[in-house]
Amino acid sequence: MASSDWLDVRGWMDSIIGWSLNQTRNLMPSSDIPLGPLGSINLQEGFSSIQSGLHTFIFTSVMCTIVFATMMITLIVVPYIERKFIGRLMDRFGNTMSARSLWVGEGGVTAGEWWSTLPLGLGAPIGALNRALNKNFGNDHHTKSVTRVGDRGYHGIWFMLPGFVAAVADFVKFNTKAHIVPEKADRLVFEVAPVIIISTTVMVYAFVPFGPHIWAANPDLSLIFMMAIFGVAPLGVFFAGWASNNKYTLIGGMRSAAQLTAYEIPLLVTVLGIAVLSGSFNIIEIVDFQIQSSNTWNVFLLPLGAVLFIVTMIAEVERIPFDMPEAEAELVEGWWTEYGGIRWGLMFAVEMMRAYAACILFALFFLGGWELPFQDTLVSLPILGGIFSLLANVTPGIGILLIKAYLMFALFVWVRASLHRIRTDQILEFGWRYLLPLSLVNLAMAMVMRVALWNGSWPIWLAPLMTIGSILVFVVLAIDEDKEALENSNRIYHTQTLDKAYPGRRD
Amino acid sequence: MVSPEEVTFLLFAAIAIGGALGCVYARRVAHSLLSLMMTFLAVAGVFILAEAEMLAAVQILVYLGSVMLVVQFGVMLTRKQIQEGDIE
């Protein structure tokens, strides 16, 4: 029995399309139409023979469109979170916020009195409006503009709105730009590489459910299909870097290939741990397992797997602690330096889409998908249970899932603001020497749990033991560090070193 | 009457053979790699037609995702010998 909510998009679309096709068939003449020497034709019977195939085709197309539209609309929030959250973290403000402070003049000085140049006195109302705004809301001292920018509470609730429109404006700008191919680039590969990257990333969303009834395709092996498609985009990255015929793009592509090879394997082994624990390769069944069978989110059973998944996913989507392939301080703009216009814009959107997919997948695999936190416990509370039960029934699954995904993306942004880039060799060493063995340990833990401890439900002590034990191990490892190495600043991934690198150094 | 499955199979087969020919006869290594990718994808499509979904997924995952990446490494590291003077 699969989980369900009232937002039954698939059921609605199914019945609407079935009804439309039935009406179409009924509109056709039911009697045989004579065609002279060719015999006769019955339109209704002919339509009936293709109706089920037509129904499947239209239904699948409509569901693909709905899922894609859902993804694109909800994706708008992701760059918004990135800008705003990192702006708050780093004490910077976006362009919309800064521009709002300049909408009226400063100290009686307006924007150049340009309206008085209009003929026939047409500009008089504009001038009057501007003076009125200036009088009531303008500044009498120039530092007040600075204060307005700095005052976070100034915009009230409306500060949220304009950020969304900036994304639309950006894409209008990308669409109007010229397409430039470098003279010595490999034209064919240069044009094909963005197609590989963009198409495979969009295909990932064919297998990602947004809710119990909002998904495009749900094969038995959707997890493997999704991870397989997810791993194709790095090839396009390499081709883009190679075809641009530029040393920076080539170095970026090289780093990308090395890094993604190193992190693909721990990622797949970690995901395999989830599949073993949940007993299924189907994403929706993994979610249903957490909601119905196990009654525990996987994050409480496999905290190590959750951490590994986050780390490897950040590396896979090339976000900041691991974004050496596009390190803009040293490689201009990495592997996409030579791309411009809509190709660059789409590849940037794809970067966001991949990060967004990573967040949704984390919510699905580890955070119970479309279930409220501790839903069963809350619903069974004596007095408040009714309220939580109502809340769980009223909120559609997609709402809960997207809130979890956005919170995960906020975590990604937090990591980005807190850490700096890791050196390429350190990235590779970290991936091969630490993440790979840890992911194997994680897989072994999942196997032991599934084989030895699972008989229709988990033992009551398992989830607390795993969670608290993992936290304790983490705390002990964090406290018990090598004091001497810390003083000498030569811990393995320490970013300070006494032994500085310089040009021409050999060792 | 040719069934849709046969048409799809012929399409995939043509892509696979064309990709294999392109892999052999392409002048540049990257074009060979692209053709090989095309072949692998088409073979995955043939597997899906044969209702071997697991095999198709593993084909994409292992051959496209991993083996091709390793081959790319080879191309990256031997680029200078293969395409002298192509990059300045």
Side-chain angles (χ1 to χ4, degrees):
Chain A
M1 181 59 197
S3 58
S4 180
D5 63 2
W6 58 267
L7 193 67
D8 188 5
V9 176
R10 283 185 74 86
W12 295 341
M13 285 302 140
D14 202 21
S15 46
I16 287 174
I17 292 164
W19 181 82
S20 317
L21 288 177
N22 282 335
Q23 293 299 110
T24 314
R25 194 192 61 205
N26 292 340
L27 280 177
M28 293 175 175
S30 56
S31 55
D32 288 3
I33 301 170
L35 291 176
L38 293 172
S40 65
I41 186 170
N42 189 326
L43 283 180
Q44 276 204 352
E45 278 179 16
F47 192 77
S48 297
S49 66
I50 61 165
Q51 193 175 345
S52 69
L54 204 60
H55 183 267
T56 311
F57 177 73
I58 298 177
F59 178 54
T60 313
S61 314
V62 167
M63 277 321 293
C64 283
T65 314
I66 288 177
V67 169
F68 186 66
T70 310
M71 187 268 285
M72 288 308 275
I73 292 170
T74 53
L75 182 70
I76 295 178
V77 184
V78 167
Y80 173 75
I81 293 174
E82 170 123 46
R83 299 258 162 75
K84 292 291 176 184
F85 193 46
I86 208 162
R88 294 296 190 279
L89 286 172
M90 300 171 82
D91 225 5
R92 293 190 312 212
F93 304 101
N95 44 6
T96 38
M97 221 167 163
S98 309
R100 283 290 292 271
S101 66
L102 304 173
W103 67 307
V104 286
E106 181 182 281
V109 181
T110 52
E113 304 271 345
W114 52 271
W115 47 82
S116 51
T117 62
L118 293 176
L120 302 173
L122 282 176
I126 305 175
L129 177 68
N130 189 282
R131 272 190 293 277
L133 288 174
N134 238 341
K135 186 159 173 269
N136 292 315
F137 303 106
N139 309 327
D140 50 11
H141 194 267
H142 63 89
T143 54
K144 278 204 175 174
S145 290
V146 182
T147 314
R148 279 192 179 193
V149 180
D151 185 3
R152 298 175 189 199
Y154 173 67
H155 301 291
I157 59 166
W158 296 103
F159 85 96
M160 294 187 70
L161 289 178
F164 293 109
V165 189
V168 181
D170 272 349
F171 263 77
V172 171
K173 186 185 75 176
F174 290 144
N175 273 309
T176 55
K177 287 196 170 180
H179 175 42
I180 300 169
V181 181
E183 192 187 352
K184 294 199 173 173
D186 190 325
R187 177 98 198 203
L188 173 76
V189 185
F190 190 81
E191 299 285 7
V192 166
V195 176
I196 297 174
I197 300 169
I198 294 161
S199 58
T200 53
T201 305
V202 173
M203 271 170 78
V204 165
Y205 282 90
F207 304 104
V208 174
F210 278 94
H213 302 293
I214 310 175
W215 38 268
N218 187 25
D220 286 343
L221 300 168
S222 59
L223 178 65
I224 302 188
F225 272 110
M226 196 269 309
M227 294 315 296
I229 293 294
F230 202 83
V232 177
L235 293 166
V237 170
F238 161 81
F239 282 125
W242 182 86
S244 301
N245 208 352
N246 174 322
K247 58 186 160 200
Y248 298 117
T249 61
L250 191 66
I251 296 172
M254 181 78 183
R255 286 178 175 182
S256 176
Q259 172 179 332
L260 294 178
T261 322
Y263 282 76
E264 185 97 358
I265 301 168
L267 175 66
L268 287 174
V269 176
T270 309
V271 169
L272 194 61
I274 297 303
V276 166
L277 192 72
S278 310
S280 172
F281 275 128
N282 184 303
I283 298 177
I284 293 182
E285 280 179 18
I286 289 176
V287 176
D288 282 345
F289 176 81
Q290 298 174 59
I291 296 177
Q292 288 167 344
S293 309
S294 113
N295 272 323
T296 310
W297 290 357
N298 283 343
V299 68
F300 296 119
L301 295 171
L302 284 179
L304 175 64
V307 172
L308 284 173
F309 189 84
I310 293 175
V311 171
T312 50
M313 265 299 185
I314 290 179
E316 279 285 310
V317 303
E318 293 173 6
R319 288 185 60 82
I320 256 180
F322 300 108
D323 80 331
M324 286 314 281
E326 43 178 297
E328 67 264 10
E330 48 198 90
L331 292 184
V332 190
E333 194 54 36
W335 52 270
W336 57 20
T337 301
E338 298 287 353
Y339 285 91
I342 190 62
R343 282 161 185 76
W344 185 85
L346 279 177
M347 288 204 286
F348 196 85
V350 154
E351 185 115 315
M352 285 290 173
M353 271 186 219
R354 285 169 72 81
Y356 186 40
C359 298
I360 295 180
L361 289 177
F362 187 85
L364 290 171
F365 291 161
F366 290 98
L367 299 183
W370 37 84
E371 191 191 38
L372 284 177
F374 304 103
Q375 184 168 320
D376 279 355
T377 316
L378 291 179
V379 166
S380 60
L381 283 177
I383 298 162
L384 295 170
I387 300 173
F388 286 117
S389 172
L390 182 71
L391 190 67
N393 285 328
V394 164
T395 319
I398 182 172
I400 301 170
L401 177 69
L402 288 181
I403 288 173
K404 286 174 185 169
Y406 292 148
L407 286 177
M408 273 310 297
F409 191 77
L411 179 71
F412 277 24
V413 178
W414 190 8
V415 169
R416 175 189 158 172
S418 311
L419 302 175
H420 35 59
R421 289 195 187 93
I422 306 171
R423 234 167 45 210
T424 304
D425 60 324
Q426 289 177 336
I427 288 182
L428 297 182
E429 197 179 354
F430 186 57
W432 287 114
R433 279 182 52 189
Y434 292 83
L435 290 184
L436 186 57
L438 277 177
S439 65
L440 290 172
V441 167
N442 177 56
L443 179 62
M445 286 195 325
M447 281 175 175
V448 168
M449 274 193 247
R450 179 76 191 186
V451 172
L453 300 173
W454 171 258
N455 51 356
S457 64
W458 300 112
I460 190 76
W461 46 266
L462 183 61
L465 176 77
M466 291 305 292
T467 313
I468 297 171
S470 302
I471 293 173
L472 278 181
V473 168
F474 175 78
V475 168
V476 166
L477 283 178
I479 293 173
D480 179 32
E481 59 183 355
D482 191 348
K483 289 269 175 5
E484 194 183 342
L486 186 62
E487 277 164 15
N488 293 331
S489 301
N490 63 0
R491 285 187 304 174
I492 177 157
Y493 296 121
H494 210 287
T495 47
Q496 292 177 321
T497 175
L498 301 175
D499 193 17
K500 290 201 170 56
Y502 50 87
R505 179 180 148 191
R506 296 275 181 275
D507 54 10
Chain B
M1 186 67 185
V2 189
S3 69
E5 284 85 10
E6 286 174 27
V7 175
T8 324
F9 171 76
L10 287 176
L11 191 69
F12 280 137
I15 294 175
I17 293 173
L21 286 176
C23 178
V24 176
Y25 288 109
R27 298 282 298 276
R28 290 184 164 190
V29 188
H31 294 184
S32 285
L33 283 178
L34 263 184
S35 311
L36 199 58
M37 274 180 70
M38 218 160 72
T39 311
F40 284 154
L41 268 180
V43 170
V46 172
F47 283 148
I48 286 181
L49 271 185
E51 297 186 353
E53 280 92 359
M54 181 72 191
L55 208 53
V58 170
Q59 167 88 12
I60 297 177
L61 193 65
V62 172
Y63 282 89
L64 260 181
S66 309
V67 171
M68 288 299 289
L69 219 55
V70 177
V71 176
Q72 280 180 355
F73 259 119
V75 175
M76 282 286 189
L77 296 173
T78 56
R79 183 184 48 80
K80 270 297 179 193
Q81 284 75 30
I82 291 166
Q83 289 204 320
E84 198 60 52
D86 207 30
I87 289 187
E88 52 219 73

